[in-house]
Amino acid sequence: MTKAPFVTMTAATAVLGTALGSLALQLRADGYEQYVESVATFSVLMYVTAALVVVTWVRDGRRRQSG
């Protein structure tokens, strides 16, 4: 695969993770404690997804070089 889909997906999920992290902080500041854990968990999930996309990109590049 080309580089573009991996970069786009990584950037999109990292931006979403950052936005959700900011939302979690704002929810805590506004007193909506019952939602903070769920939003923060989803934020971390987005960062993990971004990291896994990068791992997939690296593995795809190695496969193309060796084969």
Side-chain angles (χ1 to χ4, degrees), residues 19-42:
L20 289 169
S22 297
L23 177 61
L25 292 173
Q26 187 64 43
L27 288 172
R28 176 163 287 158
D30 291 342
Y32 293 101
E33 292 290 328
Q34 67 269 27
Y35 303 111
V36 171
E37 185 178 353
S38 297
V39 174
T41 300
F42 195 64

Side-chain angles (χ1 to χ4, degrees), residues 1 6 54-67:
M1 291 177 98
F6 291 109
V54 170
V55 168
T56 303
W57 178 27
V58 169
R59 290 183 59 147
D60 180 67
R62 287 184 184 168
R63 187 187 67 197
R64 289 181 184 280
Q65 288 176 357
S66 66

